[in-house]
C-alpha cells in the first residue's frame, strides 16, 4: 500500500512539474514579451522596461521559471499588475467561495446519484428504471449555468426562498454561507448526478452479471444481499473514476456559474484579469486550478487502492 | 421497438438543428446583425415568430445562426480529437507497454488535468477571445478522450487470434492497425464521437456565456443567455429559448448516440434476434 | 435422496430440457455427461432455483423437504449453500476479487445464521484446511488474486461444503484446470463424498472423468437424458447410439501413416525467451522472466510432432517465437536452414512455408471480412498479384470439406467446427511445409474434434505436411503424433517417439502427467463395438 501510494505521489509531483512548465510556456514564452503584451500597443519602451523589472521578467527563461515555481512553493504568487496586491491574497479570499461550492456540488451529486443508480439497476427494465433513465437523459442535456438561471427565476424571483445571488461571507456563519451556495450547488450537481447515476447503474448491472455474484447466490444470499455485499463495492471502481473526473468539471462549472449568482469567487477574478491582461493573475490561477485537479486525481488513485486489493500489492 | 424509437427521435432532433444551421447560410427570417431599437423586446408574433431581444434582433434568426456556431465549433473540435487522438491511441496500443505507450498515456493524463475552461482561459489570456479559442480548447480536451477510447478498444482486439494470424501472414503493426483494428473500432468511435459532439455543444455554450467563445456580432446560444441574464425578471423568454435550443440539440445527439450504440453493438443486436 | 421427476425447462419459449428424470443417491457420485448445449448446466441451475431470466420450469425436483420447484425465493435462499452447495467451471472469476477468502467462506455460515462472524472465521479456517489450504500457508486474509486457479477452486469447494450440504453440484469443476490440478481436485471431491456422506452431482463433458469418479452416470443429449445406469454397466453395454458415438469420438484414433522423411525442416537450437514484466512508473526498470530456457529440437519434413505441457510451461511463448512473432534472446530457430527473425522483415518465402491454426474458433477471424478475404489473407506474402486467387480459395475450402460458395459468407454464419475448417483452409492456401496447430482442437466438442483430427490426418497425407501439435491434452497428442516433447518450466524434460514415451515415461513429470490423465478402464470397452 505504502509503495503504491509513493509511486502515485511521485507521478503526482511529476504531473505538477510538467503542468507548470506548460502553463509557464503559454503565458510567458509564447507571447514574446509579456510586459509589452500587458501594456498594449501604445506603451513606451521605458514603461515596458519598468514593468519588466517590476514583474521580475529579466533573466533567462529557465531562471524565470525557477523563480516563479520556487515562489509558488513558498506561497509567493507574485504581485497583481492591476490590483497592485499580492496574487496570493487575491486568490485566498476567492478560493474559499469556489472550492467549497465545487465540493458541495460533488457531495450533492454523489448523494443523489448513488441511490438513484442503485434503484434503477435493481429495477432494471421496469417502469422506475425507464423513468430514471429518461430523467437522467434530460439532466445530462441541461447546461448547468442555464439551469442555474431557471432556479433563480423559480426559487429566488417567484418563490423568494433564496436570494438571487451574492455571498455574505463565511464570517456570518456556516449556515448563511451554505445557504447562499445551495442554489448554485444544486445547479451544478443535478447534471453531474445524472451522469453519475447512469454510470452507477451500468456498473452495477455489469457487476451483477459476474461469476462471483452467481457464486454468492449459490451460497444462499438473496438478490438484495448479493447486491449489497458483493456487487456494490465492485461497481464502485468505475464510479470512482467518474467522480474524479467530475471534480474538474465541477470546478470549471463553479467558475462559470458564479456569474449567474454574482458570487465573489475565482471566476470573476480570472475573467477580469483576462480583460485587463493581468497575466500574472491568470498564470497563478490556472496553476492553482490544475493543481486542484491533479491532487483530486491522486486522491482517487488512493481510493482505488483502498477499494481494490489487487492494486495494493501491485509493486 | 423502443430502441429504434430512441434512435429516430434523436436523429430527428439533430436533423432539425442541422437543417436550421444549413438554412441560415442562405436565409434567415431577419438580418441577425441589424439593430432595430423600435422593435425591441417584442413578444412572439407573426413578424417575429419568437420575439425580439433588447436590440430588436429576431430571436429565431439568432437561434438559427447560433446553431451554426455551436455545431461548427463542436464538429471541428471532435475532428481535432479524432484526427490526433485516434492515431495516438492506435500507436500506443500497437506498441503496448513500450516507453512510447507510457508517454502517450501520461500525456493524456496531463491534458485531463486541464479542463476545457482552463485551456480556454490560457489561450484567451494570450491571444484574446475568439470562436477559434473555443474550438482549440474543446478540441485539445477531446484528444485524450479519443486516444483512450481507441487504445482501450484496440488493446482488446490485439489479443485476438485473428491479429496473430495477420502477423503470421507477415503484416506489420501499421498495416494491421489500419486493416484490422481501425475498422473494428469504428462503432466505438462513432458512439464516442456523438457523445463528444454533444459535450462540445455544451462546452461551447458555457465558453461563449463567459465571453471566451464567439464574439459579437456573431450570434451564439451561450452569449444570448449571458445577455438575457440581466432581464430574467422582465423578459424570461429571452433566457428560456436559447437554453431550450441547447437542451433539445444535446438531447437529440445523446439519444442518437445511445440508439447507435445499441444498433451497432453486436451483443445487443444478437439478443434482439 | 434427491430426485428429479419430469423436469422440463423452456427459455423464452424455446425448449431446453425435456422431461429429465434422475435419482441422485445419498453418499454417491452421480455423473451427468453431455456436449455443450445439451442442457446439463441448466439442469443444475434448475435444482438451485437460479435459472436465467425468461425461463419457465415444470416437473419436480424432490428434496427431503419437498419440491424445490414449488418453493418461494425466500425458501430457496435458506436452502442454497445450506442443503445444496454448488461450484462452477471458472474458478478465476468465481470469487469476489475484493474480499478475502476467509470472509467469503465465513459468509456462507453467517448468511444462514449458523455462526457469529468470529465463529464463522474459525470454521472457515478449518474448512479451508480440510480442502487443502492450511492456515500456515494460506491465511484467511489472502485475496483471490494471490491464489492459483486450482487453489481458488478449493476455496469455492470450501464455501460450498461449509455447512455440510447433503448435495454438492459441481458444474465442470476441472475443465479450466491443468491435468495434474484436475486430478487433485477430483481426488478432493471423492474424499469429501466418502468422508462426509454427501451426494455429488458431477457435470462434465469428459467421459473419462466420469468413469473414474461416478457411481451412476446419465448421458444427456439435446435436453434429454438418453441413457442412465450404474457407471460400469453403462460403459460396458452402451445401449444408446449417442453414448456409443460420444465414446467413440472421445477415444478416436484417426487413420494415419507415418510419413516423416529424415530431412530436418524446423530446427530450434538453444532457444531462450525472456519476458519483460510490468514496468513500474515511467522510469522504472521492467523485471525479467525467463519463459523459454534453452530449448532445442528438430522437426522433420512430413513429421507430426507433439508439444505437451501445462499452462505457464512456456509452450505458447515458444510457439510465438517459432512463428516469428517475438524475438529470441538467445539461440536460433531455422526453417529449412533459413533463420527466423521476429517482425515484419522476415522473408516472405519463409513465412509462406509455415502457417498456424489457433485454438479459439471465435476470435480467429476478422468479423468484418468475408471468408474469401479471410482465407486469402496469407497471400499478402506473395509478391505478385494472383489472378487465380478465387480458384485457390475455392480449392482450399473444398480441401477442408466446405462448399466453395462459403467464400461469400461472413464468419458468424459458421459453427465452431466449420470455423476451424476455415482456419485450416487459411493455413493451407500458401501450400506450406509446416502447420503449427496451437491447441487447435481444444475448444471443440468431442465429436467435432474427431472430425477435425481426421481432416488433419488426411491433409497431412495428401500434402506431405509437417505438424507441430501443441496441446495440454495428452490423449489427443497421443492419437495424432509420431513424436512428442514434454515441456515444463521453460525446458523440454522428455522427448521421444509418442508410443514409447506414453508406454514407458522416463521423467517424473511425464509420469505424473500420464498418471493424472483420466482414462476409461480398458476392459470396459470391449462389448459395444458389435
Amino acid at each position: 500500500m505504502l509503495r503504491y501510494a509513493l509511486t502515485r505521489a511521485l507521478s503526482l509531483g511529476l504531473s505538477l512539474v510538467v503542468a507548470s512548465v506548460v502553463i509557464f510556456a503559454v503565458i510567458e514564452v509564447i507571447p514574446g514579451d509579456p510586459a509589452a503584451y500587458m501594456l498594449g500597443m501604445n506603451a513606451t519602451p521605458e514603461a515596458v522596461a519598468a514593468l519588466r523589472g517590476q514583474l521580475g521578467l529579466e533573466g533567462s527563461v529557465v531562471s524565470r521559471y525557477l523563480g516563479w515555481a520556487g515562489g509558488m512553493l513558498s506561497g509567493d504568487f507574485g504581485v497583481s499588475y492591476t490590483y497592485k496586491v499580492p496574487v496570493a491574497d487575491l486568490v485566498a479570499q476567492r478560493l474559499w467561495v469556489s472550492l467549497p461550492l465545487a465540493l458541495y456540488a460533488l457531495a450533492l451529486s454523489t448523494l443523489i446519484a448513488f441511490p438513484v443508480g442503485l434503484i434503477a439497476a435493481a429495477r432494471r427494465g421496469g417502469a422506475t428504471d425507464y423513468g430514471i433513465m429518461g430523467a437522467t437523459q434530460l439532466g445530462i442535456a441541461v447546461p448547468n449555468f442555464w439551469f442555474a438561471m431557471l432556479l433563480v427565476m423559480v426559487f429566488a424571483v417567484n418563490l423568494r426562498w433564496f436570494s438571487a445571488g451574492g455571498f455574505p461571507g463565511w464570517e456570518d456563519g456556516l449556515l448563511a454561507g451554505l445557504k447562499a451556495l445551495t442554489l448554485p450547488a444544486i445547479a451544478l450537481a443535478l447534471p453531474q448526478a445524472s451522469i453519475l447515476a447512469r454510470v452507477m447503474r451500468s456498473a452495477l448491472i455489469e457487476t451483477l452479471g459476474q461469476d462471483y455474484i452467481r457464486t454468492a447466490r449459490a451460497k444462499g444470499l438473496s438478490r438484495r444481499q448479493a447486491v449489497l455485499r458483493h456487487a456494490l463495492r465492485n461497481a464502485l471502481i468505475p464510479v470512482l473514476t467518474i467522480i474524479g473526473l467530475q471534480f474538474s468539471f465541477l470546478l470549471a462549472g463553479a467558475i462559470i456559474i458564479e456569474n449567474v449568482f454574482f458570487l465573489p469567487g475565482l471566476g470573476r477574478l480570472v475573467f477580469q484579469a483576462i480583460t485587463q491582461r493581468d497575466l500574472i493573475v491568470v498564470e497563478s490561477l490556472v496553476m492553482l486550478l490544475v493543481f486542484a485537479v491533479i491532487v483530486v486525481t491522486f486522491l482517487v488513485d488512493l481510493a482505488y487502492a483502498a477499494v481494490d486489493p489487487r492494486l495494493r500489492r501491485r509493486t | 421497438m423502443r430502441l429504434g424509437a430512441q434512435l429516430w427521435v434523436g436523429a430527428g432532433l439533430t436533423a432539425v438543428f442541422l437543417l436550421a444551421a444549413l438554412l441560415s447560410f442562405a436565409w434567415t427570417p431577419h438580418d441577425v446583425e441589424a439593430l432595430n431599437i423600435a422593435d425591441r423586446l417584442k413578444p412572439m408574433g407573426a413578424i417575429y415568430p419568437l420575439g425580439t431581444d433588447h436590440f430588436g434582433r429576431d430571436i429565431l434568426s439568432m437561434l438559427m445562426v447560433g446553431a451554426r456556431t455551436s455545431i461548427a465549433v463542436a464538429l471541428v473540435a471532435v475532428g481535432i480529437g479524432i484526427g490526433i487522438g485516434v492515431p495516438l491511441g492506435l500507436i500506443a496500443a500497437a506498441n503496448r507497454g513500450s516507453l512510447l505507450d507510457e508517454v502517450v498515456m501520461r500525456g493524456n493524463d496531463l491534458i485531463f488535468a486541464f479542463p476545457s475552461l482552463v485551456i480556454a482561459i490560457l489561450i484567451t489570456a494570450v491571444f484574446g477571445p475568439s470562436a477559434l479559442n473555443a474550438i482549440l480548447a474543446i478540441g485539445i480536451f477531446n484528444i485524450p478522450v479519443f486516444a483512450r477510447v481507441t487504445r482501450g478498444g484496440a488493446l482488446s482486439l490485439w489479443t485476438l487470434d485473428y491479429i496473430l494470424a495477420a502477423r503470421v501472414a507477415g503484416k506489420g503493426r501499421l498495416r494491421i492497425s489500419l486493416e484490422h483494428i481501425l475498422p473494428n473500432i469504428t462503432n466505438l468511435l462513432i458512439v464516442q464521437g456523438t457523445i463528444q459532439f454533444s459535450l462540445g455543444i455544451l462546452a461551447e455554450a458555457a465558453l461563449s456565456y463567459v465571453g471566451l467563445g464567439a464574439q459579437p456580432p456573431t450570434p451564439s446560444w451561450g452569449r444570448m443567455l449571458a445577455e438575457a441574464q440581466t432581464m430574467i425578471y422582465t423578459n424570461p423568454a429571452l433566457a428560456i429559448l436559447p437554453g431550450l435550443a441547447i437542451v433539445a440539440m444535446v438531447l437529440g445527439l445523446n439519444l442518437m448516440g445511445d440508439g447507435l450504440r445499441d444498433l451497432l453493438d453486436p451483443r445487443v443486436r444478437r439478443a434482439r434476434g | 435422496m434427491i430426485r428429479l421427476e419430469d423436469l422440463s425447462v423452456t427459455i423464452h419459449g424455446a425448449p431446453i430440457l425435456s422431461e429429465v428424470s434422475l435419482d441422485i443417491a445419498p453418499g454417491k457420485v452421480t455423473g451427468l455427461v453431455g456436449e455443450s448445449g445439451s442442457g446439463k448446466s441448466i439442469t443444475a441451475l434448475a435444482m438451485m432455483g437460479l435459472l436465467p431470466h425468461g425461463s419457465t420450469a415444470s416437473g419436480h425436483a424432490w428434496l427431503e423437504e419437498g419440491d424445490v420447484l414449488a418453493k418461494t425465493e425466500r425458501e430457496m435462499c435458506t436452502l442454497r449453500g445450506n442443503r445444496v452447495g454448488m461450484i462452477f467451471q471458472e474458478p478465476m472469476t468465481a470469487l469476489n476479487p475484493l474480499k478475502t477468502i476467509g470472509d467469503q467462506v465465513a459468509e456462507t455460515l453467517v448468511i444462514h445464521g449458523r455462526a457469529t462472524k468470529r465463529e464463522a472465521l474459525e470454521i472457515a479456517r478449518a474448512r479451508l484446511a480440510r480442502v487443502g489450504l492450511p492456515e500456515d500457508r494460506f491465511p484467511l486474509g489472502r485475496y483471490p488474486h494471490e491464489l492459483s486457479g486450482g487453489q481458488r477452486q478449493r476455496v469455492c469447494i470450501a464455501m460450498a461444503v461449509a455447512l455440510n450440504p447433503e448435495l454438492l453440484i459441481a458444474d465442470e469443476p476441472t475443465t479450466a484446470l491443468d491435468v495434474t490440478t484436475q486430478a487433485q481436485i477430483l481426488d478432493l471431491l471423492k474424499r469429501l463424498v466418502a468422508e462426509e456422506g454427501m451426494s455429488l452431482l458431477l457435470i462434465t463433458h469428459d467421459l473419462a472423468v466420469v468413469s473414474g469418479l461416478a457411481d451412476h452416470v446419465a448421458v444427456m443429449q439435446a435436453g434429454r437424458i438418453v441413457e442412465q445406469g450404474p457407471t460400469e454397466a453403462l460403459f460396458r453395454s452402451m445401449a444408446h447410439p449417442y453414448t456409443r458415438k460420444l465414446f467413440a469420438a472421445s477415444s478416436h484414433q484417426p487413420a494415419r501413416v507415418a510419413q516423416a522423411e529424415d530431412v530436418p525442416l524446423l530446427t530450434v537450437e538453444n532457444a531462450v525467451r525472456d519476458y519483460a514484466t510490468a514496468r513500474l512508473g515511467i522510469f522504472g526498470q521492467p523485471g525479467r522472466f525467463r519463459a523459454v530456457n534453452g530449448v532445442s529440437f528438430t522437426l522433420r519434413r512430413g513429421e507430426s510432432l507433439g508439444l505437451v505441457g501445462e499452462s505457464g510451461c512456456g509452450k505458447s511463448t515458444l510457439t510465438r517465437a517459432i512463428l516469428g512473432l517475438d524475438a529470441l534472446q538467445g539461440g536460433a530457430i531455422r526453417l529449412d536452414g533459413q533463420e527466423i527473425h521476429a517482425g515484419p522483415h522476415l522473408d516472405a518465402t519463409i513465412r509462406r512455408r509455415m502457417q498456424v491454426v489457433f485454438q479459439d474458433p471465435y476470435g480467429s477471424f476478422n468479423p468484418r471480412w468475408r471468408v474469401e478475404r479471410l482465407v486469402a489473407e496469407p497471400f499478402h506474402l506473395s509478391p505478385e498479384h494472383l489472378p487465380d486467387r478465387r480458384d485457390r480459395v475455392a480449392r482450399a475450402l473444398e480441401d477442408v470439406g466446405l462448399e466453395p460458395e462459403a467464400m461469400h459468407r461472413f464468419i458468424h454464419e459458421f459453427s465452431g467446427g466449420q470455423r476451424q475448417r476455415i482456419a485450416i483452409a487459411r493455413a493451407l492456401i500458401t501450400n506450406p511445409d509446416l502447420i503449427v496447430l496451437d491447441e487447435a482442437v481444444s475448444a471443440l466438442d468431442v465429436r467435432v474434434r474427431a472430425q477435425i483430427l481426421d481432416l488433419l490426418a488426411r491433409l497431412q497425407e495428401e500434402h506431405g505436411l509437417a505438424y507441430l501439435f501443441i496441446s495440454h491434452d495428452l490423449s489427443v497428442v497421443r492419437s495424432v503424433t509420431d513424436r512428442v516433447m514434454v515441456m515444463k518450466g521453460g525446458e523440454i524434460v522428455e522427448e521421444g517417439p509418442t508410443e514409447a514415451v506414453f508406454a514407458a515415461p522416463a521423467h517424473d513429470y511425464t509420469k505424473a502427467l500420464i498418471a493424472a490423465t483420466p482414462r476409461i478402464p480398458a476392459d470396459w470397452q470391449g462389448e459395444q463395438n458389435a
Side-chain angles (χ1 to χ4, degrees), chain A residues 3 14 211-212 214-215 217-222 225 229-230 233-234 307-310 312-313 315, chain C residues 48 73 77 80-81 88 90 93-99 104 107-108 111-112 143 145-146 159 280:
Chain A
R3 177 143 186 194
L14 201 68
D211 283 355
Y212 53 78
R214 193 179 56 182
T215 309
R217 299 273 285 137
K219 279 200 282 192
L221 275 76
S222 67
Q225 284 171 321
R229 285 168 159 259
H230 292 277
R233 205 159 143 213
N234 277 285
V307 173
D308 192 341
R310 287 166 293 188
R312 270 175 259 167
R313 308 241 175 157
T315 50
Chain C
M48 295 292 283
E73 170 63 21
C77 281
R80 287 194 283 259
F88 300 92
E90 198 34 87
T93 51
L95 294 170
N96 184 341
L98 307 186
K99 289 198 164 191
Q104 296 194 53
E107 189 177 37
T108 311
I111 278 293
H112 292 285
Y143 284 97
H145 71 274
E146 299 169 292
M159 256 160 41
L280 298 171

Side-chain angles (χ1 to χ4, degrees), chain A residues 286-307:
Chain A
V286 166
M287 188 62 222
L288 198 70
L289 293 176
V290 171
F291 173 78
V293 174
I294 291 179
V295 167
V296 168
T297 313
F298 172 69
L299 293 178
V300 168
D301 280 346
L302 290 189
Y304 277 142
V307 173

